[in-house]
Amino acid sequence: MPEKNKKLVISQKLIISLFMGFVGVAVAFALVQAPPKVVEEHNCEDEQPQVMRGTLQDIDLSKAKIVRLQPKELENEDCANAIANSLNKLNAIGELTVDLTKKIVTVQYDSSKVDEAMILAAFATAQHEATILRGSE
């Protein structure tokens, strides 16, 4: 290959290398200025219900009372299940509703078998301190 052609090939490679380097810097700068948005995958199975309802036991409705409680911590379904399991041991809880958004637990109970103090104790057993809500709270 003649000397003139070698210089031309080297010059072309140099120009291509410089151009590629410039493109790389430009792309890096653009990404820093406006990083791509990451789209999180949405998996419906990971969503937790905001309100959980259920019946723990059949109770005598003529003796039923309802109390609304607000646990200090009520973060997720696991917390709600721990509370439900503890209340279930009282064998006097009818309907149970847990609102994870409002952080309120509504308990229907047989007042001839348990009282509010026993319900609060069941919360404590489940490692959840709670306050009884009175009035229109």
Side-chain angles (χ1 to χ4, degrees):
M1 185 182 280
E3 188 68 31
K4 190 175 181 181
N5 285 346
K6 284 184 182 178
K7 286 182 182 180
L8 182 62
V9 171
I10 291 173
S11 295
Q12 288 173 342
K13 286 183 179 180
L14 180 60
I15 290 170
I16 291 171
S17 294
L18 288 172
F19 178 76
M20 294 304 288
F22 175 77
V23 169
V25 169
V27 169
F29 181 77
L31 288 174
V32 168
Q33 294 300 317
K37 293 180 182 174
V38 176
V39 178
E40 292 184 22
E41 214 174 288
H42 183 72
N43 186 348
C44 292
E45 293 176 4
D46 292 341
E47 285 184 14
Q48 295 189 16
Q50 297 304 305
V51 177
M52 300 168 60
R53 287 188 175 90
T55 302
L56 299 184
Q57 288 99 25
D58 290 326
I59 62 171
D60 183 351
L61 294 179
S62 68
K63 298 175 183 169
K65 287 190 178 180
I66 295 175
V67 63
R68 293 176 57 227
L69 303 107
Q70 187 162 42
K72 272 191 174 181
E73 294 180 20
L74 184 59
E75 301 302 322
N76 55 37
E77 194 174 335
D78 291 337
C79 295
N81 286 333
I83 292 168
N85 288 336
S86 186
L87 288 170
N88 194 39
K89 292 176 185 172
L90 295 175
N91 292 319
I93 306 300
E95 295 290 322
L96 178 65
T97 304
V98 179
D99 187 327
L100 293 171
T101 304
K102 294 179 182 177
K103 299 188 184 303
I104 294 176
V105 178
T106 305
V107 180
Q108 177 193 52
Y109 64 98
D110 184 335
S111 63
S112 68
K113 296 180 180 178
V114 297
D115 58 21
E116 291 177 350
M118 295 168 76
I119 293 170
L120 285 171
F123 272 74
T125 300
Q127 311 282 317
H128 289 277
E129 185 179 337
T131 305
I132 294 176
L133 297 175
R134 304 281 183 204
S136 61
E137 297 168 83

